[in-house]
Amino acid sequence: MLALDRNLLHRFGLLLVILGVGLALSVATDTFLSVANLTNVARQISINGILAVGVTFVLLTAGVDLSLGSVVALSGVACATFAHPGEHPVIIPIAVGLLTGAACGLVNGALVTRGGVAPFIVTLGMMTIARGLALIVSGGRPVANMSNELTAFADDLFGVPIPVLCFAAVAFAAWFFLRNFRLGRHIYAVGGNENAARAAGVPVERVKLFAYALCGLLTGLAGVVLAARITTGQPNAGQAYELDAIAAVVIGGTSLAGGVGTITGTLLGVLLIGVINNGLDLMGVSSYYQAVIKGVIIVGAVWLDRRQSRS
Amino acid sequence: MLALDRNLLHRFGLLLVILGVGLALSVATDTFLSVANLTNVARQISINGILAVGVTFVLLTAGVDLSLGSVVALSGVACATFAHPGEHPVIIPIAVGLLTGAACGLVNGALVTRGGVAPFIVTLGMMTIARGLALIVSGGRPVANMSNELTAFADDLFGVPIPVLCFAAVAFAAWFFLRNFRLGRHIYAVGGNENAARAAGVPVERVKLFAYALCGLLTGLAGVVLAARITTGQPNAGQAYELDAIAAVVIGGTSLAGGVGTITGTLLGVLLIGVINNGLDLMGVSSYYQAVIKGVIIVGAVWLDRRQSRS
Amino acid sequence: MLRALELRKDFGGLTVLHPTSVEFRPGEVHALMGENGAGKSTLMKVLAGLYRPDGGHVEWRGNKVAFGSPHDALVAGIAMIHQELMPIPDLTVAENITLGHEPCVSLGRIDRAAQLRLADKLLLELEADIAPDRLMRTLTVAQTQVVEIAKALGRQADVILMDEPTAALSDHEVAALFRAIARLKARGVAVVYTTHKMEEVFKLADRVSVLRDGRLVGSAPAAELSPAKLITMMVGRDLSDVYPARPKPSADILLEVDGLTREPAYREISFRIHRGEVVALAGLMGAGRTEIASAIYGLQPAASGQIRLRGQPISVRSPRDALAAGIGMVTEDRKGLGLIPALGVGQNITLTALREFCYGPMLNHTAEVAAQQAQMAGFSIKASSPAQPIGQLSGGNQQKALLSRCLLTGPELIILDEPTRGIDIGAKAEIYALIQRLAHAGKAILLISSELPEVLALAHRIVVLRRGSVAATLDATQTDQETVLRHAMPL
Amino acid sequence: KKAETRKEGEILIGFSSRDLSAEYTAKLSEAIVDYAKTKPGVKLVMVDAQSDVQKQFSQVENFIAQKVDAIILNPCELEASTPAVDRIKAAGIPLVLVNQVTKSAGDSYIGSNDFDAGRIAVEAIAKKLNGQGGVLMLHGIMGTSAQLQREAGAREVFAKYPGLRLVDHQTASWDRAKAMALTENWIQAHKGKFSAIFAHNDEMAMGALLALERAGMKKDVYVIGIDAIAQALTAVKEGRLDATVFQDAVGQGKGSVDAALLLARKQPCPKETMIPFQLISRENLSQFLK
Ligand SMILES: Nc1ncnc2c1ncn2[C@@H]1O[C@H](COP(=O)(O)OP(=O)(O)OP(=O)(O)O)[C@@H](O)[C@H]1O
Ligand SMILES: Nc1ncnc2c1ncn2[C@@H]1O[C@H](COP(=O)(O)OP(=O)(O)OP(=O)(O)O)[C@@H](O)[C@H]1O
Ligand SMILES: [Mg+2]
Ligand SMILES: [Mg+2]
């Protein structure tokens, strides 16, 4: 409880920016504050949100995962391949998608820990490998004809989109896990000072492997959700998704040097990016200026946040 | 001299991989070892090479620059805008291109040092801002009709392509500077242990500012070279160039944590990527498999390199 | 020459240094004394321009100055040796020493020859045998400390602030440093010196100022003080009997080390430790003490040789193995191998023994916090709360937290590598008592310390190392400093 | 066996594709490769420029170094790919451009005009709406030739029908998921103010379609894309998507291989073969489904 409060206070600047942007949008447009639109925002951030939560684990261990986008595509394609109507029960394509992601994460983790190769290189390699595999598996064409059971994964449940429920569940579980599990504490320790953690008896390699594998699993989930949403396994989907996800995490106060950061922060980062994207579209800002404004708001938000948390 | 030898020995594994790949290609194809093809390889790596040398400075200070690709586009557009035949002497568009890059770098550096915002966020912001500006300045259309004086910048001089000469000059200057100049050593110090450098009276902020500005300047140069090569300022050029450049640097042994790395290593990294790209095309490997193979070779090369340098 | 006038420093609303005024004169060694967390380092960092004061100001040669950065202070002529070691790991020793004032040929081009010469000269002055072209990361902690000293001496400053410069040094280097300080004094340099080693104060200092809880308790010429009086000023009470009596070891052998070898660091190392016994490894800097301890703890396994615990051969490939076997260690490299700086003090303390405060894989926060508070109270660790990041604590308090982390797992063999480094005299006494209590409870203790008096007073037996080989095994109660040193010196 | 070692008399053709991860280009490239396989004594090497002008330029240089007999180029850009074309011509190698022109002409051009595609699509919208109503436009990646020309074609038609209003336009970078999110946002911002969506490709049209369906608004909005990818055709068949603009990948592919062979054998070859875009809707769909 204490830690949560401290954290919200810590990220107060960011919260302020989000509220400010939200307020400006409510004034500038009639639609921003409508239930329908806020549901939209929630729906749109859910994929980036799931990825961001996953990559938070990796960043906390002072690693990085650049393969998110490609693995989203690969998992989506893998899932779609098994999702043709009447072929398998719906659990099969979902499991295939999740396991594909987890397998990629596991390979990343193994290369980082056993191979001793820098995470940047490993996951950059995985980025091109997974993209290549997605294209090979699908023959370069979208894998269509998915069963309704699977695409229903993107529908609403009691008025809330299922992707949003997934995201919420994932975020809550991750938050709970990092706070209350021994392994969660170990993740912070490994990222904070790997050698010291090892000397203190933390199984550093296993902890890192876990972080990459979990990130992969969640990336697989994002792939399945995306495939359900766009009703195809798209081999060229997810371009540059890793940048948005990592940006959200870093905006939320997680250090790329590892050991510092929270899921609450990540959620705020995801929210900021989502609100900007939605708001600029609602305002009808031209694409060219959208890019400029988005960049300025993100840098500005982080600048304000850091200024406030320093004082 | 000693440091050079030590470094080459250090990167021996990498050199071996490059030679191995080269040998395999010479056997598998008739053309790889031809003068024409090797000139091609040199020409093709020169833009990535200039970028990689520039970003080496930033990575050495434990920073990062994700805006390379967008700034290449912006500088190219800016350069092309002033390069219509008969309007200005050729030095003007070149200067405009270089200064545009340097200005972007300076803004990055200022936000990192004065603003205290993480380099990842600052340069991610610059990535979208510069792209937006490139589109705004050009109206979203390629800026064509460039003078022959400027496009001659991509021609040959005594049989060697000018971009290659530029790259060689830049690499040599950077190598000499990092080894022999005070500021060069300070860059290592800042990246190695920022607090220690500050305590020893190193003007940490100025050093970082310099690194970002220099990286920006070289990015501007890459933009000018690219514009000359493709005879247009292309607002959507340079997509993901930052990844290839950073990958080359990291393959070459520079640590993303800062303080460790050399220009020699960067050159080897650039060479490896260039040879792979050229070779896979020569062999006619299908592009889907190219992605997979490229990823495997890069990770494998770094793995071998680290294994060898550890033992 | 240099005066602090009503200097005050706050950290997050907490006043760490209350308005304090002190004066430092040329040609004088001014010792700054106080318990851990008293504010000594903070005061020095303000003087060196690393922190900006929140009140008061610094007066330099009669003028009010406000240093914006260490650079300004260095330009003015104030250099500092930091308590926290600050190597740039991938630069050479010479580059580290000349950092920030590299000799240049022209246009900022470095004169390498002059750089090496300068480094060589400074290292020679400190009688240290370190090649200036070695990479900093290959140095031991003690060698790193020597380089830090050389770095400050090379500045030709008029004031040198030395924050526990000898914490990681053994006698030989300490003596060299003292000779260097004498030369500085003769040149009219003002030296401000912080240490927790009592005897150094009386050997060196002309004046002593004592801080307690961020307040200046008093300032007096060293000649007017006695150790007892000084301790009372620092601690606020008497401290008799620093060294408690040694309990008698049992006949039970706990640890046997047989023929441990890892060239070139050490070879054919054999010794044994009984339950209830304190065995010390003694030797000069770089003799291989840390490396042997690291081998037993699994940080850097030996190439050959056997380790037997309770008569059973054990294979220790990692600290996890060692911990599982009942071996705990407090490492010498506090920053590199000890602290997780961003985690709270409490979480640092419970890190190794975390399993004890869990239901299955889940943490029991109540039990954990209770244990954290108990440990912090037991070791009198000064922090605003268990959640305060350990990186913000004073050096001594960090050390205590790490000691507490090690003991919380209840190891039977405890390896202590320089456990009292940077610890104040009061806390030292507590740690000495603790060591003997642990021995009394039947634990075996392997102690490494560069302070020979400590070794002689605490250990039952001393294994003296010389360049990676056992030179002698001495009965601590029957020997003296000279004998130990004679065995430790290279022939 | 050496990759590009050829038998006596074998004709070696180099083909640089713009981007094999884009569905239409992949289809075109496949048609070229498959058709070349049916020709005896012909070897075709395909490379992928991944939408990068500079990479494509390098590949062209590689082909020149390999001394191929003819090059089929599917240029990335109108302006920026021109130097690559000039380089090929300077080397004296026969050149066929496919699907995209450059400032300098090749020896033969096989393709269609993207300008027409935009025009045809918006004409269809104008016809459907009787020249009255709001339209939303989804752009491809800004600054690419296809985006620029498809937009220009569309704008020409907008100028012709004053009653046809462009309510909003925005890039979704050829990407289905992005188009879907953008359309969701537009449904909020411009509810009731638009009755047609024109997407620069079918991927984005499918995204817009999904968003409209999810919002229960499809019946009020006419959606049209370009390319006639498989899924779009199915969607037209199912009555979900209203129309798409057909670009004949197989026709372009065959045409370009034939042209390359003619040129390589120094036989006369038409300077330009236009394979026009055609509108596909439910009415004429059967012609295009095999
Ligand atoms: N950056 C910081 N943030 C918060 N508190 C700090 C910070 N630096 C120091 N402190 C606090 O200031 C107090 C004084 O610390 P200081 O390092 O000056 O002690 P010291 O006298 O040098 O002790 P030691 O003998 O252990 O080195 C300590 O209680 C410490 O926790
Ligand atoms: N990282 C390293 N690289 C190369 N040599 C090393 C390294 N660490 C230690 N050594 C060498 O190993 C030997 C033993 O060092 P060790 O740290 O065990 O000494 P020590 O007796 O603990 O001394 P101290 O801790 O006082 O420096 C020394 O000769 C030292 O120079
Ligand atoms: Mg201190
Ligand atoms: Mg030691």
Side-chain angles (χ1 to χ4, degrees):
Chain A
M1 214 43 231
L2 210 150
L4 175 64
D5 293 343
R6 200 178 51 189
N7 181 55
L8 269 186
L9 218 82
H10 213 65
R11 292 279 81 83
F12 193 62
L14 196 54
L15 205 62
L16 228 66
V17 174
I18 296 176
L19 290 179
V21 171
L23 197 72
L25 287 172
S26 321
V27 174
T29 71
D30 329 317
T31 32
F32 178 75
L33 261 192
S34 67
V35 174
N37 187 58
L38 294 182
T39 313
N40 261 348
V41 174
R43 205 198 321 264
Q44 288 162 14
I45 64 177
S46 52
I47 288 174
N48 187 34
I50 293 171
L51 292 173
V53 168
V55 83
T56 301
F57 284 81
V58 171
L59 293 176
L60 280 177
T61 68
V64 73
D65 192 345
L66 299 177
S67 67
L68 298 181
S70 301
V71 175
V72 162
L74 180 60
S75 318
V77 165
C79 164
T81 311
F82 287 84
H84 301 313
E87 282 187 3
H88 305 282
V90 67
I91 190 70
I92 297 290
I94 294 180
V96 167
L98 296 182
L99 290 180
T100 305
C104 292
L106 215 55
V107 171
N108 281 337
L111 284 166
V112 168
T113 54
R114 311 260 143 215
V117 182
F120 184 91
I121 293 290
V122 168
T123 60
L124 187 78
M126 181 56 80
M127 175 176 168
T128 82
I129 294 173
R131 179 72 62 193
L133 289 178
L135 287 163
I136 292 171
V137 169
S138 66
R141 255 180 297 273
V143 181
N145 190 20
M146 285 168 70
S147 71
N148 291 336
E149 287 85 15
L150 194 88
T151 55
F153 212 59
D155 291 349
D156 292 4
L157 195 71
F158 312 121
V160 187
I162 297 177
V164 176
L165 293 178
C166 279
F167 171 38
V170 162
F172 178 78
W175 174 82
F176 187 81
F177 176 83
L178 281 176
R179 273 177 55 75
N180 294 311
F181 276 69
R182 190 164 69 233
L183 191 46
R185 179 74 55 78
H186 283 176
I187 285 177
Y188 283 97
V190 167
N193 184 347
E194 182 171 327
N195 290 329
R198 190 174 288 114
V202 176
V204 172
E205 271 64 39
R206 249 185 290 154
V207 170
K208 284 195 187 176
L209 203 63
F210 169 81
Y212 283 93
L214 182 67
C215 177
L217 184 74
L218 292 179
T219 310
L221 176 63
V224 172
V225 171
L226 180 65
R229 183 164 150 81
I230 63 178
T231 68
T232 34
Q234 213 42 312
N236 58 352
Q239 305 275 3
Y241 277 20
E242 54 279 355
L243 281 185
D244 259 8
I246 298 176
V249 180
V250 178
I251 290 171
T254 295
S255 155
L256 284 171
V260 184
T262 56
I263 296 292
T264 343
T266 297
L267 296 190
L268 291 178
V270 169
L271 199 60
L272 180 65
I273 295 185
V275 168
I276 298 177
N277 281 341
N278 173 266
L280 291 175
D281 279 353
L282 289 188
M283 308 254 299
V285 178
S286 113
S287 305
Y288 305 167
Y289 289 92
Q290 275 207 12
V292 176
I293 295 174
K294 191 173 158 185
V296 170
I297 294 185
I298 288 177
V299 175
V302 174
W303 177 72
L304 266 174
D305 185 45
R306 299 300 176 271
R307 233 171 80 104
Q308 172 272 331
S309 69
R310 240 182 298 160
S311 65
Chain B
M1 213 44 227
L2 208 149
L4 177 64
D5 292 345
R6 202 173 49 189
N7 182 55
L8 268 187
L9 219 81
H10 211 66
R11 293 280 80 84
F12 193 62
L14 197 53
L15 205 61
L16 228 64
V17 173
I18 295 175
L19 291 179
V21 171
L23 197 73
L25 286 172
S26 323
V27 173
T29 72
D30 316 320
T31 29
F32 178 76
L33 262 191
S34 67
V35 174
N37 187 58
L38 292 182
T39 313
N40 271 350
V41 173
R43 204 199 321 262
Q44 289 156 19
I45 64 177
S46 51
I47 287 175
N48 187 34
I50 294 172
L51 292 174
V53 168
V55 83
T56 301
F57 285 80
V58 170
L59 293 176
L60 280 177
T61 68
V64 74
D65 192 345
L66 299 177
S67 67
L68 298 181
S70 300
V71 175
V72 162
L74 179 59
S75 321
V77 165
C79 165
T81 310
F82 287 84
H84 301 313
E87 283 187 3
H88 307 281
V90 67
I91 190 71
I92 297 290
I94 293 179
V96 167
L98 295 183
L99 291 180
T100 305
C104 292
L106 216 55
V107 171
N108 281 338
L111 284 167
V112 168
T113 54
R114 313 257 144 218
V117 182
F120 185 91
I121 292 290
V122 168
T123 59
L124 187 77
M126 181 57 81
M127 174 176 168
T128 83
I129 293 173
R131 180 70 62 192
L133 289 177
L135 286 163
I136 292 173
V137 169
S138 66
R141 258 175 297 274
V143 182
N145 189 20
M146 285 168 69
S147 71
N148 291 336
E149 287 85 15
L150 194 87
T151 56
F153 211 58
D155 292 348
D156 292 4
L157 196 72
F158 312 121
V160 187
I162 298 178
V164 176
L165 293 177
C166 280
F167 171 38
V170 162
F172 179 78
W175 174 82
F176 189 80
F177 176 81
L178 279 177
R179 271 176 56 74
N180 295 314
F181 276 73
R182 199 166 154 177
L183 189 48
R185 300 321 286 174
H186 283 179
I187 286 176
Y188 282 93
V190 167
N193 187 342
E194 186 172 325
N195 287 329
R198 188 173 288 115
V202 173
V204 173
E205 270 64 39
R206 248 185 293 154
V207 171
K208 285 195 187 177
L209 203 61
F210 168 80
Y212 282 93
L214 182 67
C215 177
L217 183 75
L218 292 179
T219 310
L221 176 63
V224 172
V225 171
L226 180 64
R229 185 160 150 80
I230 64 179
T231 67
T232 32
Q234 192 72 14
N236 59 347
Q239 305 274 2
Y241 277 21
E242 55 277 355
L243 279 185
D244 259 6
I246 298 176
V249 180
V250 178
I251 290 171
T254 296
S255 156
L256 284 170
V260 189
T262 56
I263 295 292
T264 342
T266 296
L267 296 190
L268 290 179
V270 170
L271 198 61
L272 179 66
I273 294 186
V275 168
I276 298 177
N277 281 341
N278 174 266
L280 290 176
D281 276 353
L282 287 188
M283 305 257 298
V285 177
S286 118
S287 76
Y288 303 167
Y289 288 92
Q290 276 204 16
V292 176
I293 295 173
K294 191 173 159 186
V296 170
I297 294 185
I298 288 178
V299 175
V302 174
W303 177 71
L304 266 175
D305 185 45
R306 299 303 175 268
R307 234 170 80 104
Q308 172 271 331
S309 68
R310 240 180 299 161
S311 66
Chain C
M1 175 150 61
L2 178 67
R3 298 211 305 182
L5 290 171
E6 297 295 306
L7 277 188
R8 187 169 62 85
K9 181 70 198 163
D10 305 333
F11 282 115
L14 214 75
T15 303
V16 167
L17 194 63
H18 295 275
T20 303
S21 304
V22 237
E23 189 180 342
F24 307 102
R25 302 201 188 105
E28 195 177 81
V29 177
H30 193 134
L32 215 49
M33 303 293 291
E35 293 185 274
N36 294 134
K40 306 178 294 291
S41 299
T42 305
L43 174 59
M44 290 175 129
K45 285 179 183 168
V46 173
L47 294 173
L50 211 69
Y51 290 161
R52 274 185 221 207
D54 294 308
H57 62 264
V58 178
E59 202 183 276
W60 172 240
R61 297 189 197 283
N63 299 318
K64 214 165 119 172
V65 287
F67 298 134
S69 70
H71 183 75
D72 298 346
L74 284 164
V75 169
I78 302 174
M80 176 162 175
I81 301 170
H82 292 268
Q83 176 177 16
E84 178 195 350
L85 297 179
M86 293 191 179
I88 316 265
D90 289 284
L91 294 188
T92 64
V93 169
E95 284 172 333
N96 267 273
I97 290 176
T98 57
L99 186 64
H101 64 120
E102 296 84 352
C104 288
V105 196
S106 61
L107 295 169
R109 228 178 93 209
I110 294 176
D111 182 347
R112 273 179 202 283
Q115 188 178 40
L116 285 175
R117 264 199 315 276
L118 181 60
D120 236 352
K121 187 183 130 246
L122 289 163
L123 289 171
L124 208 65
E125 213 174 301
L126 292 169
E127 297 163 38
D129 183 22
I130 308 171
D133 60 353
R134 261 175 78 179
L135 276 190
M136 206 60 193
R137 67 161 68 251
T138 66
L139 264 51
T140 63
V141 174
Q143 290 170 326
T144 309
Q145 177 75 269
V146 172
V147 171
E148 294 282 322
I149 297 171
K151 207 158 134 184
L153 293 187
R155 284 295 184 155
Q156 304 295 335
D158 299 314
V159 176
I160 302 187
L161 308 161
M162 303 187 175
D163 197 355
E164 303 192 30
T166 57
L169 297 186
S170 52
D171 293 346
H172 174 70
E173 295 78 34
V174 173
L177 172 64
F178 284 8
R179 283 190 284 275
I181 291 178
R183 285 193 292 273
L184 291 175
K185 255 174 86 170
R187 272 204 347 244
V189 173
V191 175
V192 185
Y193 194 93
T194 295
T195 186
H196 290 294
K197 299 181 181 174
M198 254 338 126
E199 66 285 358
E200 291 184 352
V201 182
F202 292 96
K203 231 185 271 176
L204 270 184
D206 301 303
R207 249 191 118 67
V208 181
S209 293
V210 177
L211 287 172
R212 196 194 307 151
D213 294 329
R215 288 191 170 81
L216 189 68
V217 185
S219 204
E224 292 172 15
L225 288 170
S226 68
K229 202 164 157 200
L230 182 54
I231 290 171
T232 315
M233 275 173 86
M234 284 166 56
V235 188
R237 64 191 154 86
D238 286 347
L239 206 68
S240 51
D241 263 6
V242 177
Y243 296 118
R246 278 170 272 216
K248 207 173 142 41
S250 85
D252 234 10
I253 296 175
L254 184 72
L255 174 82
E256 285 172 280
V257 173
D258 206 355
L260 225 51
T261 302
R262 194 172 67 77
E263 293 289 0
Y266 53 86
R267 64 208 64 82
E268 291 301 325
I269 304 293
S270 306
F271 61 89
R272 54 179 58 175
I273 311 180
H274 296 252
R275 286 184 189 277
E277 190 182 29
V278 181
V279 171
L281 289 182
L284 300 182
M285 169 181 131
R289 298 164 298 175
T290 297
E291 307 240 337
I292 293 166
S294 303
I296 300 172
Y297 188 60
L299 275 167
Q300 205 172 23
S304 63
Q306 206 182 43
I307 301 171
R308 284 190 297 277
L309 202 68
R310 301 177 206 93
Q312 300 297 316
I314 55 169
S315 151
V316 190
R317 309 303 304 170
S318 72
R320 275 174 75 71
D321 296 345
L323 287 162
I327 305 173
M329 175 163 171
V330 178
T331 56
E332 163 189 50
D333 185 0
R334 185 158 67 208
K335 202 163 146 222
L337 291 175
L339 305 176
I340 317 276
L343 279 188
V345 204
Q347 300 192 341
N348 265 282
I349 290 173
T350 50
L351 183 62
T352 306
L354 206 52
R355 198 179 283 275
E356 315 274 310
F357 312 106
C358 283
Y359 309 112
M362 271 187 71
L363 297 170
N364 175 353
H365 287 292
T366 329
E368 193 195 350
V369 170
Q372 292 173 352
Q373 277 163 348
Q375 290 292 313
M376 288 175 63
F379 284 83
S380 38
I381 296 169
K382 220 175 119 182
S384 56
S385 83
Q388 187 179 12
I390 199 169
Q392 292 179 1
L393 260 54
S394 81
N397 282 306
Q398 292 175 344
Q399 185 71 18
K400 289 193 249 176
L402 295 182
L403 200 59
S404 138
R405 174 200 286 172
C406 168
L407 294 182
L408 199 54
T409 58
E412 283 190 88
L413 170 66
I414 302 160
I415 306 172
L416 303 172
D417 196 354
E418 312 281 3
T420 57
R421 194 167 102 212
I423 289 206
D424 70 46
I425 182 95
K428 253 185 210 168
E430 288 165 30
I431 289 173
Y432 297 155
L434 179 72
I435 290 176
Q436 302 306 5
R437 268 206 310 282
L438 290 167
H440 192 73
K443 314 272 186 197
I445 291 153
L446 181 61
L447 174 72
I448 300 174
S449 169
S450 297
E451 287 187 60
L452 271 185
E454 194 172 284
V455 166
L456 287 166
L458 291 176
H460 294 97
R461 280 183 305 127
I462 302 176
V463 177
V464 186
L465 297 171
R466 185 197 306 141
R467 289 198 177 153
S469 303
V470 176
T473 303
L474 306 170
D475 184 339
T477 51
Q478 308 288 316
T479 189
D480 52 20
Q481 291 207 24
E482 285 67 41
T483 318
V484 175
L485 273 177
R486 202 175 60 227
H487 286 290
M489 284 294 191
L491 300 171
Chain D
K1 125 183 177 292
K2 302 211 172 190
E4 83 281 32
T5 301
R6 26 189 145 150
K7 303 181 202 85
E8 268 310 303
E10 192 181 54
I11 292 178
L12 179 63
I13 301 175
F15 165 45
S16 172
S17 172
R18 183 179 64 75
D19 192 342
L20 284 178
S21 66
E23 192 179 357
Y24 177 77
T25 321
K27 219 162 79 178
L28 168 66
S29 307
E30 195 179 293
I32 290 179
V33 171
D34 287 349
Y35 186 64
K37 278 200 194 118
T38 67
K39 299 275 169 187
V42 173
K43 189 171 153 53
L44 183 128
V45 179
M46 176 172 71
V47 292
D48 178 6
Q50 294 167 344
S51 293
D52 184 340
V53 180
Q54 129 95 354
K55 189 172 170 73
Q56 188 165 52
F57 199 169
S58 305
Q59 292 170 336
V60 162
E61 288 165 346
N62 292 345
F63 284 148
I64 296 171
Q66 281 171 281
K67 303 199 176 67
V68 296
D69 300 302
I71 292 175
I72 300 175
L73 186 66
N74 170 211
C76 292
E77 293 291 339
L78 173 79
E79 292 280 355
S81 296
T82 307
V85 170
D86 294 340
R87 180 73 56 86
I88 296 172
K89 286 165 75 183
I93 297 177
L95 169 65
V96 177
L97 295 178
V98 59
N99 192 246
Q100 164 74 55
V101 291
T102 58
K103 271 288 149 68
S104 304
D107 298 299
S108 180
Y109 173 67
I110 315 292
S112 352
N113 190 340
D114 273 312
F115 185 88
D116 290 339
R119 201 176 41 73
I120 293 170
V122 182
E123 285 283 6
I125 289 174
K127 198 167 138 212
K128 172 80 186 176
L129 306 183
N130 293 320
Q132 290 292 328
V135 181
L136 296 170
M137 177 157 63
L138 289 155
H139 293 280
I141 289 178
M142 302 308 281
T144 54
S145 290
Q147 179 269 326
L148 288 169
Q149 291 170 57
R150 287 172 190 185
E151 179 181 5
R155 294 239 180 228
E156 191 189 77
V157 183
F158 279 116
K160 223 162 73 187
Y161 296 92
L164 213 54
R165 278 174 308 105
L166 184 57
V167 175
D168 205 341
H169 60 111
Q170 197 63 255
T171 183
S173 310
W174 308 121
D175 182 275
R176 185 184 298 208
K178 284 203 185 108
M180 197 170 166
L182 181 56
T183 309
E184 285 168 350
N185 291 340
W186 275 344
I187 289 172
Q188 300 307 318
H190 308 301
K191 204 172 217 147
K193 285 184 232 152
F194 64 97
S195 31
I197 295 181
F198 164 42
H200 281 182
N201 74 350
D202 280 343
E203 278 299 333
M204 296 191 292
M206 292 303 295
L209 178 66
L210 287 169
L212 289 168
E213 284 176 344
R214 197 146 271 156
M217 287 176 60
K218 177 57 195 79
K219 58 186 184 311
D220 314 321
V221 182
Y222 182 85
V223 181
I224 184 166
I226 295 177
D227 284 348
I229 62 171
Q231 251 195 330
L233 292 179
T234 314
V236 171
K237 188 172 156 206
E238 291 167 352
R240 295 167 60 211
L241 188 66
D242 294 288
T244 176
V245 180
F246 176 65
Q247 184 160 205
D248 186 358
V250 176
Q252 289 183 4
K254 283 183 174 167
S256 48
V257 175
D258 284 335
L261 288 177
L262 287 174
L263 291 168
R265 295 184 178 125
K266 313 250 181 325
Q267 287 162 353
C269 166
K271 205 77 193 116
E272 188 177 277
T273 312
M274 288 309 272
I275 297 177
F277 279 104
Q278 299 168 60
L279 185 71
I280 305 183
S281 56
R282 282 205 82 156
E283 293 79 57
N284 63 353
L285 179 68
S286 50
Q287 293 171 234
F288 298 92
L289 285 176
K290 295 163 274 251

